[in-house]
Amino acid sequence: MKTKLFLSQLAALVVVAAIFYASYGATNALASARANVPEIYFAWERAVPFWVWSIVPYWSLNLLYALGFFLCRDAGELARYVTQLLVAQMIATLFFIAFPLQMSWEKPAVSGLSGFLFSSLAAFDLPFNQAPSLHIILCVVVGAFYLRKARAVWLKAALAAWFALIGLSVLTTYQHHFIDIPTGLAAGCLVLLIRPLEGAPLSFAIAREPARYKWAALYLGFAFLTLFAAIVGAKIWGAWMLWLSWASLSFALVACGYAFLGAGVFAKNERGCHAAAAKALLFPYLCIARLNALFWLRGRRLSDEILPGLYLGSVKEAGKFDAVLDCAAEFERPGGAQIYASVPMLDMITPGADELKRGADELERLVKTTLCGGENLQQRMELGSNFSAKAGCAHGRDLKFNEQADSRVNSQTRGTANEGEIAEAGQALANSNERAAETNGKKVLVCCALGYGRSASVLLAWLVIYAGLGFDEALNLLKSRRENIAVASSLREWIARLATEARVNSKAE
């Protein structure tokens, strides 16, 4: 088995290395055949020293790159590593062809071991293939691979310092200009976003909802505006304005999220943490999202109690709750919540049926675990709705629905509910939940950025699917407890279908 893995590792190294040298050499040759290849650098770069010894860390990346193949534990890890390297090569190659740049500075004469290393580098590397620096891209990808494998803190620190030195060496060996570094870092993070170190690769699915393309177009417009501002600003106020291109990149990625990447563009895992690569790429947008939430929540309640022990609100309030269902893709897990579930969704669009189902299922689990001591709810079917009829709660107390209210809620026809009936039905459900909540004093929060859209849609689905309310009763209950609720009318059909599926599945069981 080990021999088979070793042969696979060796074969993968040979193939990837061949692709590397072939594509790198081809783009160098294409650039050398062009006239007037541009060169971009800042005046301060003339002060960057030429450190002869830095060719050693520069070259060491080649060794670490190759050694990584043989450090893969199994075929799956090897495939992941190979994919990352090939994606890195593809991104760099496309930019080298589309936007060729050069580094024309002469290197001082060098002798000895350093001279040999510089001569070996010059044998296959021409002064092209600049931005994004493939050396920096690989520094990110290979560095992330080694840091993930390191267990001891001192070893992680030593590896981080060495890879940082490799990154610095592209300047001190006069191989690259500064602009090649941030572009290389961005490309490296993009590789790790497309094929992360753990979990599934970033999925692509063309959006079908027109609203998603509206928001994609908006963010793409922001991307072009900030890029234009960066270029014009650099000419008027100085090169520091080019950092606005970071915001342009983040907006472009968010646009891709709405168009075909979905919430996966934020790389938020089940622990509620964004991947480091996603945080780096989307940092400008994430900052704006937080400022936007603060603006819209000013002077408003951060959360409201919908049923005893069950709240709807902003992720900003989540640290005060025992259990949290987080629907915001753009916010990380808040501190404080002992029980946490994440169903990341994009902002400003109606959640899909699959997202609603996952959200309602997760909320049911949290309600059982937190408000009902973790015991299983016995479910019964009555008049076409799925009810939680009994719950073994803390201290041995039972949770029962008021049978008269059950009948009224379930037989209510769509759109015919009056305010009195809605209030009574909601009160019956509240009374039943209160018996559970008061036994342990625990609180559950369903949240998104503001607590008005995504989280409200999920809670609405739960009220219909698991609590047994009709759509109108559930919606009016939410609106009576928390102002400014914003849910789409299309949810009625989706939630009705999910409730029907739940009834069928319950009967089958």
Side-chain angles (χ1 to χ4, degrees):
M1 187 67 179
K2 290 184 178 180
T3 303
K4 183 178 179 181
L5 177 61
F6 174 78
L7 292 176
S8 298
Q9 293 166 331
L10 183 61
L13 172 59
V14 171
V15 172
V16 174
I19 294 173
F20 173 90
Y21 284 105
S23 59
Y24 197 84
T27 52
N28 255 326
L30 285 174
S32 63
R34 296 186 181 185
N36 302 320
V37 175
E39 183 173 10
I40 301 176
Y41 65 91
F42 302 100
W44 59 264
E45 292 183 57
R46 288 292 185 184
V48 173
F50 180 79
W51 291 342
V52 174
W53 59 267
S54 62
I55 190 63
V56 175
Y58 185 93
W59 259 108
S60 70
L61 181 62
N62 296 52
L63 176 62
L64 294 168
Y65 175 104
L67 183 60
F69 286 86
F70 301 98
L71 293 179
C72 294
R73 297 186 302 271
D74 50 44
E77 188 176 20
L78 177 62
R80 186 187 304 268
Y81 186 60
V82 168
T83 303
Q84 290 173 338
L85 296 178
L86 291 178
V87 172
Q89 192 72 30
M90 181 179 66
I91 292 174
T93 299
L94 290 175
F95 274 92
F96 294 160
I97 294 173
F99 308 104
L101 296 172
Q102 68 169 318
M103 169 64 153
S104 63
W105 296 4
E106 290 291 334
K107 297 180 178 65
V110 181
S111 59
L113 175 62
S114 297
F116 170 76
L117 293 177
F118 272 106
S119 299
S120 301
L121 182 62
F124 72 93
D125 191 18
L126 297 176
F128 305 105
N129 291 354
Q130 294 296 300
S133 167
L134 182 54
H135 215 75
I136 296 295
I137 299 175
L138 295 176
C139 189
V140 172
V141 173
V142 178
F145 174 84
Y146 278 88
L147 286 172
R148 185 170 180 263
K149 286 193 165 295
R151 293 291 179 262
V153 175
W154 68 267
L155 182 56
K156 284 183 179 289
L159 284 170
W162 186 256
F163 278 99
L165 188 58
I166 292 174
L168 178 63
S169 70
V170 302
L171 290 178
T172 56
T173 55
Y174 288 4
Q175 284 294 117
H176 286 275
H177 289 303
F178 175 76
I179 197 171
D180 308 338
I181 296 179
T183 53
L185 290 173
C189 289
L190 183 60
V191 171
L192 296 181
L193 182 63
I194 294 172
R195 193 62 177 102
L197 293 170
E198 56 184 23
L202 187 62
S203 60
F204 296 77
I206 301 299
R208 296 180 179 179
E209 302 85 358
R212 291 184 59 165
Y213 288 105
K214 180 187 73 174
W215 287 100
L218 178 65
Y219 280 108
L220 191 60
F222 287 156
F224 281 118
L225 282 175
T226 48
L227 181 60
F228 178 77
I231 296 172
V232 174
K235 294 182 178 180
I236 299 175
W237 294 293
W240 64 271
M241 286 291 293
L242 288 174
W243 287 107
L244 277 176
S245 57
W246 190 1
S248 176
L249 174 61
S250 70
F251 287 137
L253 284 174
V254 173
C256 292
Y258 279 96
F260 53 83
L261 294 179
V265 73
F266 291 94
K268 187 173 181 178
N269 59 26
E270 66 278 1
R271 299 184 301 275
C273 299
H274 293 141
K279 281 194 283 190
L281 291 170
L282 296 169
F283 181 75
Y285 169 81
L286 296 176
C287 291
I288 293 172
R290 280 149 182 75
L291 292 174
N292 179 69
L294 291 174
F295 174 80
W296 288 107
L297 289 170
R298 69 193 191 286
R300 297 182 180 180
R301 292 191 301 273
L302 296 183
S303 64
D304 288 290
E305 191 172 28
I306 306 302
L307 296 172
L310 183 58
Y311 290 73
L312 175 65
S314 168
V315 68
K316 296 291 185 181
E317 190 83 340
K320 300 178 180 179
F321 290 81
D322 302 285
V324 171
L325 175 60
D326 180 7
C327 302
E330 71 275 22
F331 284 84
E332 287 196 290
R333 176 179 182 171
Q338 297 178 352
I339 305 174
Y340 177 83
S342 175
V343 184
M345 304 177 191
L346 293 173
D347 195 11
M348 302 305 295
I349 58 173
T350 303
D354 291 342
E355 292 174 319
L356 289 172
K357 180 63 167 61
R358 286 192 295 118
D361 290 346
E362 286 293 340
L363 180 55
E364 175 71 352
R365 181 181 67 82
L366 292 183
V367 168
K368 288 179 182 179
T369 304
T370 307
L371 299 183
C372 299
E375 298 186 21
N376 292 328
L377 291 174
Q378 298 176 3
Q379 307 247 327
R380 63 180 165 83
M381 303 305 299
E382 182 174 318
L383 298 176
S385 292
N386 188 21
F387 269 83
S388 297
K390 292 182 180 180
C393 297
H395 312 298
R397 300 183 62 173
D398 287 338
L399 170 65
K400 296 175 182 280
F401 282 104
N402 180 286
E403 296 297 329
Q404 183 178 0
D406 285 353
S407 178
R408 180 183 299 113
V409 170
N410 286 279
S411 62
Q412 183 72 41
T413 58
R414 182 184 304 172
T416 63
N418 61 54
E419 293 184 0
E421 289 175 320
I422 291 170
E424 289 182 33
Q427 187 60 47
L429 184 58
N431 290 340
S432 65
N433 211 55
E434 186 173 9
R435 297 189 187 95
E438 67 184 6
T439 61
N440 54 22
K442 298 293 182 66
K443 297 186 295 182
V444 178
L445 175 69
V446 187
C447 65
C448 56
L450 304 181
Y452 299 133
R454 293 165 284 182
S455 54
S457 298
V458 168
L459 183 50
L460 177 63
W462 179 84
L463 288 169
V464 175
I465 298 171
Y466 286 103
L469 290 181
F471 184 89
D472 294 302
E473 291 85 356
L475 180 58
N476 280 280
L477 175 62
L478 290 179
K479 289 182 176 180
S480 68
R481 297 291 194 270
R482 184 165 175 79
E483 298 178 352
N484 302 312
I485 292 295
V487 296
S489 58
S490 59
L491 288 181
R492 181 188 297 275
E493 180 182 348
W494 294 352
I495 292 176
R497 185 170 71 249
L498 292 174
T500 301
E501 292 174 358
R503 289 197 299 270
V504 172
N505 293 335
S506 180
K507 287 180 180 179
E509 292 174 0

Short mmCIF file of all heavy atoms in Angstrom, two decimals, residues 385 408-423 425-426 429 459-461 463-465 468-481 485 487-493 495-496:
data_model
loop_
_atom_site.label_atom_id
_atom_site.label_comp_id
_atom_site.label_asym_id
_atom_site.label_seq_id
_atom_site.Cartn_x
_atom_site.Cartn_y
_atom_site.Cartn_z
N SER A 385 -51.14 19.00 9.35
CA SER A 385 -49.98 19.73 9.86
C SER A 385 -49.20 18.84 10.82
O SER A 385 -49.76 17.97 11.47
CB SER A 385 -50.39 21.01 10.58
OG SER A 385 -50.92 21.92 9.66
N ARG A 408 -58.00 24.85 15.81
CA ARG A 408 -58.25 26.14 15.18
C ARG A 408 -57.10 26.53 14.27
O ARG A 408 -57.31 27.00 13.15
CB ARG A 408 -58.42 27.22 16.26
CG ARG A 408 -58.68 28.60 15.68
CD ARG A 408 -58.77 29.67 16.77
NE ARG A 408 -59.86 29.40 17.67
CZ ARG A 408 -59.69 29.07 18.95
NH1 ARG A 408 -58.47 28.97 19.42
NH2 ARG A 408 -60.72 28.82 19.73
N VAL A 409 -55.88 26.30 14.72
CA VAL A 409 -54.72 26.68 13.92
C VAL A 409 -54.65 25.87 12.64
O VAL A 409 -54.42 26.40 11.56
CB VAL A 409 -53.43 26.49 14.74
CG1 VAL A 409 -52.21 26.65 13.84
CG2 VAL A 409 -53.37 27.51 15.87
N ASN A 410 -54.89 24.57 12.74
CA ASN A 410 -54.69 23.72 11.59
C ASN A 410 -55.81 23.79 10.58
O ASN A 410 -55.61 23.53 9.41
CB ASN A 410 -54.49 22.28 12.05
CG ASN A 410 -53.13 22.09 12.67
OD1 ASN A 410 -52.16 21.92 11.97
ND2 ASN A 410 -53.04 22.14 14.00
N SER A 411 -57.03 24.08 11.05
CA SER A 411 -58.14 24.16 10.11
C SER A 411 -58.30 25.53 9.51
O SER A 411 -59.15 25.75 8.66
CB SER A 411 -59.44 23.77 10.84
OG SER A 411 -59.70 24.68 11.90
N GLN A 412 -57.44 26.46 9.96
CA GLN A 412 -57.52 27.81 9.41
C GLN A 412 -57.17 27.79 7.93
O GLN A 412 -56.13 27.27 7.53
CB GLN A 412 -56.50 28.71 10.15
CG GLN A 412 -56.53 30.15 9.73
CD GLN A 412 -57.79 30.82 10.25
OE1 GLN A 412 -58.19 30.61 11.37
NE2 GLN A 412 -58.41 31.62 9.42
N THR A 413 -58.00 28.29 7.09
CA THR A 413 -57.71 28.34 5.66
C THR A 413 -56.86 29.53 5.34
O THR A 413 -56.88 30.53 6.06
CB THR A 413 -59.02 28.42 4.86
OG1 THR A 413 -59.75 29.56 5.28
CG2 THR A 413 -59.86 27.17 5.06
N ARG A 414 -56.12 29.39 4.26
CA ARG A 414 -55.17 30.43 3.87
C ARG A 414 -55.88 31.76 3.63
O ARG A 414 -56.82 31.85 2.87
CB ARG A 414 -54.45 30.00 2.59
CG ARG A 414 -53.40 30.98 2.12
CD ARG A 414 -52.81 30.55 0.82
NE ARG A 414 -52.27 29.21 0.93
CZ ARG A 414 -51.82 28.53 -0.14
NH1 ARG A 414 -51.87 29.06 -1.33
NH2 ARG A 414 -51.32 27.31 0.01
N GLY A 415 -55.38 32.79 4.30
CA GLY A 415 -55.84 34.14 4.05
C GLY A 415 -57.12 34.50 4.76
O GLY A 415 -57.63 35.61 4.58
N THR A 416 -57.73 33.59 5.59
CA THR A 416 -59.00 33.91 6.22
C THR A 416 -58.87 34.15 7.71
O THR A 416 -59.87 34.30 8.42
CB THR A 416 -60.00 32.77 6.00
OG1 THR A 416 -59.49 31.58 6.63
CG2 THR A 416 -60.20 32.52 4.50
N ALA A 417 -57.64 34.12 8.23
CA ALA A 417 -57.47 34.28 9.67
C ALA A 417 -57.81 35.69 10.09
O ALA A 417 -57.43 36.65 9.45
CB ALA A 417 -56.02 33.96 10.04
N ASN A 418 -58.57 35.79 11.22
CA ASN A 418 -58.78 37.12 11.78
C ASN A 418 -57.83 37.32 12.93
O ASN A 418 -57.22 36.38 13.43
CB ASN A 418 -60.24 37.31 12.21
CG ASN A 418 -60.66 36.31 13.28
OD1 ASN A 418 -60.00 36.20 14.31
ND2 ASN A 418 -61.74 35.58 13.02
N GLU A 419 -57.71 38.55 13.38
CA GLU A 419 -56.70 38.88 14.38
C GLU A 419 -56.94 38.15 15.69
O GLU A 419 -56.01 37.73 16.38
CB GLU A 419 -56.67 40.40 14.59
CG GLU A 419 -56.18 41.16 13.38
CD GLU A 419 -56.07 42.65 13.66
OE1 GLU A 419 -56.38 43.04 14.79
OE2 GLU A 419 -55.69 43.38 12.74
N GLY A 420 -58.20 37.98 16.08
CA GLY A 420 -58.49 37.31 17.33
C GLY A 420 -58.06 35.86 17.31
O GLY A 420 -57.45 35.36 18.27
N GLU A 421 -58.34 35.16 16.22
CA GLU A 421 -57.97 33.76 16.12
C GLU A 421 -56.46 33.60 16.08
O GLU A 421 -55.90 32.67 16.67
CB GLU A 421 -58.60 33.15 14.86
CG GLU A 421 -60.11 32.98 14.99
CD GLU A 421 -60.71 32.48 13.69
OE1 GLU A 421 -60.26 32.95 12.63
OE2 GLU A 421 -61.63 31.65 13.74
N ILE A 422 -55.80 34.52 15.34
CA ILE A 422 -54.33 34.46 15.27
C ILE A 422 -53.73 34.66 16.64
O ILE A 422 -52.81 33.96 17.06
CB ILE A 422 -53.80 35.52 14.28
CG1 ILE A 422 -54.21 35.14 12.86
CG2 ILE A 422 -52.30 35.65 14.39
CD1 ILE A 422 -53.94 36.24 11.86
N ALA A 423 -54.26 35.62 17.37
CA ALA A 423 -53.74 35.90 18.71
C ALA A 423 -53.94 34.70 19.63
O ALA A 423 -53.04 34.33 20.39
CB ALA A 423 -54.43 37.14 19.29
N ALA A 425 -54.38 31.49 18.76
CA ALA A 425 -53.54 30.37 18.32
C ALA A 425 -52.09 30.60 18.72
O ALA A 425 -51.41 29.69 19.19
CB ALA A 425 -53.65 30.20 16.81
N GLY A 426 -51.62 31.81 18.50
CA GLY A 426 -50.24 32.13 18.88
C GLY A 426 -50.04 32.02 20.37
O GLY A 426 -49.01 31.56 20.85
N LEU A 429 -49.67 28.37 21.40
CA LEU A 429 -48.33 27.89 21.10
C LEU A 429 -47.32 28.49 22.08
O LEU A 429 -46.42 27.81 22.55
CB LEU A 429 -47.96 28.25 19.66
CG LEU A 429 -46.61 27.73 19.15
CD1 LEU A 429 -46.56 26.22 19.26
CD2 LEU A 429 -46.40 28.17 17.72
N LEU A 459 -37.40 30.93 10.61
CA LEU A 459 -38.29 30.77 11.74
C LEU A 459 -39.73 30.57 11.27
O LEU A 459 -40.50 29.78 11.84
CB LEU A 459 -38.20 31.98 12.67
CG LEU A 459 -39.03 31.93 13.96
CD1 LEU A 459 -38.80 30.63 14.72
CD2 LEU A 459 -38.70 33.13 14.84
N LEU A 460 -40.10 31.27 10.21
CA LEU A 460 -41.43 31.09 9.63
C LEU A 460 -41.61 29.65 9.15
O LEU A 460 -42.67 29.03 9.38
CB LEU A 460 -41.60 32.07 8.47
CG LEU A 460 -42.91 32.00 7.67
CD1 LEU A 460 -44.10 32.34 8.57
CD2 LEU A 460 -42.86 32.96 6.48
N ALA A 461 -40.60 29.12 8.49
CA ALA A 461 -40.67 27.73 8.02
C ALA A 461 -40.80 26.77 9.20
O ALA A 461 -41.57 25.80 9.14
CB ALA A 461 -39.42 27.40 7.19
N LEU A 463 -42.09 27.35 12.17
CA LEU A 463 -43.41 27.48 12.78
C LEU A 463 -44.47 26.70 12.01
O LEU A 463 -45.40 26.13 12.60
CB LEU A 463 -43.81 28.96 12.86
CG LEU A 463 -43.08 29.81 13.90
CD1 LEU A 463 -43.38 31.29 13.69
CD2 LEU A 463 -43.46 29.38 15.31
N VAL A 464 -44.31 26.66 10.69
CA VAL A 464 -45.29 25.93 9.87
C VAL A 464 -44.99 24.43 9.86
O VAL A 464 -45.89 23.61 10.05
CB VAL A 464 -45.29 26.48 8.43
CG1 VAL A 464 -46.21 25.64 7.54
CG2 VAL A 464 -45.73 27.94 8.41
N ILE A 465 -43.72 24.06 9.67
CA ILE A 465 -43.36 22.66 9.52
C ILE A 465 -43.40 21.90 10.84
O ILE A 465 -43.96 20.80 10.92
CB ILE A 465 -41.96 22.53 8.88
CG1 ILE A 465 -41.95 23.14 7.48
CG2 ILE A 465 -41.52 21.07 8.82
CD1 ILE A 465 -40.57 23.26 6.87
N GLY A 468 -46.64 23.57 13.59
CA GLY A 468 -47.97 23.27 13.12
C GLY A 468 -48.86 24.46 12.82
O GLY A 468 -50.05 24.29 12.57
N LEU A 469 -48.33 25.66 12.83
CA LEU A 469 -49.13 26.83 12.49
C LEU A 469 -49.37 26.91 10.99
O LEU A 469 -48.57 26.42 10.20
CB LEU A 469 -48.44 28.11 12.95
CG LEU A 469 -48.35 28.39 14.46
CD1 LEU A 469 -47.65 29.70 14.70
CD2 LEU A 469 -49.73 28.39 15.11
N GLY A 470 -50.47 27.56 10.59
CA GLY A 470 -50.65 27.87 9.19
C GLY A 470 -49.73 29.00 8.79
O GLY A 470 -49.19 29.72 9.64
N PHE A 471 -49.53 29.17 7.49
CA PHE A 471 -48.59 30.19 7.01
C PHE A 471 -48.99 31.58 7.49
O PHE A 471 -48.15 32.35 7.98
CB PHE A 471 -48.52 30.15 5.49
CG PHE A 471 -47.51 31.11 4.91
CD1 PHE A 471 -46.20 30.72 4.71
CD2 PHE A 471 -47.88 32.41 4.57
CE1 PHE A 471 -45.26 31.60 4.18
CE2 PHE A 471 -46.95 33.30 4.04
CZ PHE A 471 -45.64 32.89 3.85
N ASP A 472 -50.27 31.93 7.34
CA ASP A 472 -50.71 33.28 7.73
C ASP A 472 -50.58 33.50 9.23
O ASP A 472 -50.18 34.58 9.68
CB ASP A 472 -52.14 33.51 7.28
CG ASP A 472 -52.27 33.55 5.77
OD1 ASP A 472 -51.59 34.39 5.16
OD2 ASP A 472 -53.01 32.73 5.21
N GLU A 473 -50.94 32.46 10.01
CA GLU A 473 -50.82 32.59 11.47
C GLU A 473 -49.37 32.81 11.88
O GLU A 473 -49.06 33.67 12.72
CB GLU A 473 -51.37 31.34 12.16
CG GLU A 473 -52.86 31.16 12.05
CD GLU A 473 -53.30 30.49 10.78
OE1 GLU A 473 -52.43 30.20 9.91
OE2 GLU A 473 -54.49 30.24 10.62
N ALA A 474 -48.48 32.02 11.28
CA ALA A 474 -47.06 32.13 11.62
C ALA A 474 -46.51 33.49 11.22
O ALA A 474 -45.77 34.13 11.98
CB ALA A 474 -46.28 31.02 10.93
N LEU A 475 -46.87 33.96 10.02
CA LEU A 475 -46.37 35.24 9.55
C LEU A 475 -46.87 36.38 10.43
O LEU A 475 -46.10 37.28 10.79
CB LEU A 475 -46.78 35.46 8.10
CG LEU A 475 -46.33 36.77 7.44
CD1 LEU A 475 -44.81 36.90 7.49
CD2 LEU A 475 -46.82 36.85 6.00
N ASN A 476 -48.15 36.36 10.77
CA ASN A 476 -48.69 37.42 11.62
C ASN A 476 -48.12 37.36 13.03
O ASN A 476 -47.95 38.40 13.67
CB ASN A 476 -50.22 37.33 11.65
CG ASN A 476 -50.86 37.93 10.42
OD1 ASN A 476 -51.00 39.15 10.30
ND2 ASN A 476 -51.22 37.08 9.47
N LEU A 477 -47.83 36.17 13.51
CA LEU A 477 -47.18 36.05 14.81
C LEU A 477 -45.82 36.73 14.78
O LEU A 477 -45.47 37.49 15.70
CB LEU A 477 -47.03 34.57 15.18
CG LEU A 477 -46.25 34.27 16.47
CD1 LEU A 477 -46.95 34.88 17.68
CD2 LEU A 477 -46.06 32.77 16.64
N LEU A 478 -45.04 36.47 13.73
CA LEU A 478 -43.72 37.11 13.61
C LEU A 478 -43.85 38.62 13.53
O LEU A 478 -43.11 39.36 14.21
CB LEU A 478 -42.99 36.58 12.38
CG LEU A 478 -42.51 35.12 12.40
CD1 LEU A 478 -41.84 34.77 11.09
CD2 LEU A 478 -41.56 34.89 13.56
N LYS A 479 -44.77 39.10 12.71
CA LYS A 479 -44.93 40.54 12.55
C LYS A 479 -45.41 41.22 13.82
O LYS A 479 -45.08 42.39 14.08
CB LYS A 479 -45.90 40.83 11.40
CG LYS A 479 -45.33 40.50 10.03
CD LYS A 479 -46.31 40.86 8.92
CE LYS A 479 -45.71 40.63 7.55
NZ LYS A 479 -46.66 40.97 6.45
N SER A 480 -46.19 40.50 14.61
CA SER A 480 -46.68 41.09 15.86
C SER A 480 -45.60 41.16 16.93
O SER A 480 -45.69 41.95 17.85
CB SER A 480 -47.86 40.27 16.38
OG SER A 480 -47.45 38.98 16.81
N ARG A 481 -44.58 40.31 16.80
CA ARG A 481 -43.52 40.27 17.81
C ARG A 481 -42.30 41.13 17.41
O ARG A 481 -41.61 41.66 18.27
CB ARG A 481 -43.05 38.83 18.04
CG ARG A 481 -44.11 37.90 18.59
CD ARG A 481 -44.48 38.24 20.02
NE ARG A 481 -45.23 37.16 20.64
CZ ARG A 481 -46.55 37.05 20.60
NH1 ARG A 481 -47.27 37.97 19.96
NH2 ARG A 481 -47.16 36.04 21.19
N ILE A 485 -40.26 42.92 9.70
CA ILE A 485 -40.01 41.62 9.11
C ILE A 485 -40.17 41.71 7.59
O ILE A 485 -41.12 42.30 7.09
CB ILE A 485 -41.00 40.57 9.67
CG1 ILE A 485 -40.70 40.31 11.14
CG2 ILE A 485 -40.92 39.28 8.88
CD1 ILE A 485 -39.37 39.69 11.39
N VAL A 487 -40.25 39.15 4.47
CA VAL A 487 -40.22 37.83 3.86
C VAL A 487 -40.98 37.87 2.55
O VAL A 487 -41.96 38.61 2.41
CB VAL A 487 -40.81 36.75 4.80
CG1 VAL A 487 -39.98 36.60 6.05
CG2 VAL A 487 -42.25 37.09 5.16
N ALA A 488 -40.55 37.08 1.59
CA ALA A 488 -41.14 37.10 0.26
C ALA A 488 -42.43 36.27 0.22
O ALA A 488 -42.56 35.26 0.93
CB ALA A 488 -40.15 36.56 -0.77
N SER A 489 -43.36 36.68 -0.62
CA SER A 489 -44.62 35.95 -0.76
C SER A 489 -44.39 34.56 -1.36
O SER A 489 -45.20 33.65 -1.16
CB SER A 489 -45.58 36.74 -1.66
OG SER A 489 -44.99 36.98 -2.93
N SER A 490 -43.29 34.39 -2.09
CA SER A 490 -43.01 33.09 -2.70
C SER A 490 -42.73 32.01 -1.66
O SER A 490 -42.78 30.81 -1.98
CB SER A 490 -41.80 33.21 -3.63
OG SER A 490 -40.65 33.65 -2.94
N LEU A 491 -42.47 32.41 -0.42
CA LEU A 491 -42.20 31.43 0.63
C LEU A 491 -43.42 30.57 0.92
O LEU A 491 -43.29 29.44 1.39
CB LEU A 491 -41.76 32.14 1.92
CG LEU A 491 -40.37 32.76 1.92
CD1 LEU A 491 -40.08 33.40 3.27
CD2 LEU A 491 -39.31 31.73 1.61
N ARG A 492 -44.61 31.12 0.69
CA ARG A 492 -45.83 30.37 1.00
C ARG A 492 -45.83 29.01 0.29
O ARG A 492 -46.08 27.97 0.91
CB ARG A 492 -47.06 31.18 0.58
CG ARG A 492 -48.39 30.48 0.91
CD ARG A 492 -49.55 31.23 0.30
NE ARG A 492 -49.68 32.57 0.85
CZ ARG A 492 -50.35 32.85 1.98
NH1 ARG A 492 -50.93 31.87 2.66
NH2 ARG A 492 -50.43 34.10 2.40
N GLU A 493 -45.56 29.02 -1.00
CA GLU A 493 -45.58 27.78 -1.77
C GLU A 493 -44.47 26.83 -1.34
O GLU A 493 -44.69 25.63 -1.18
CB GLU A 493 -45.46 28.10 -3.26
CG GLU A 493 -45.46 26.87 -4.16
CD GLU A 493 -45.28 27.24 -5.62
OE1 GLU A 493 -45.38 28.43 -5.95
OE2 GLU A 493 -45.04 26.32 -6.43
N ILE A 495 -42.79 26.70 1.56
CA ILE A 495 -42.98 26.17 2.91
C ILE A 495 -44.12 25.17 2.94
O ILE A 495 -44.06 24.16 3.65
CB ILE A 495 -43.21 27.33 3.90
CG1 ILE A 495 -41.92 28.16 4.04
CG2 ILE A 495 -43.64 26.80 5.26
CD1 ILE A 495 -42.07 29.38 4.92
N ALA A 496 -45.18 25.42 2.17
CA ALA A 496 -46.29 24.47 2.10
C ALA A 496 -45.80 23.13 1.56
O ALA A 496 -46.20 22.06 2.06
CB ALA A 496 -47.40 25.03 1.23
#
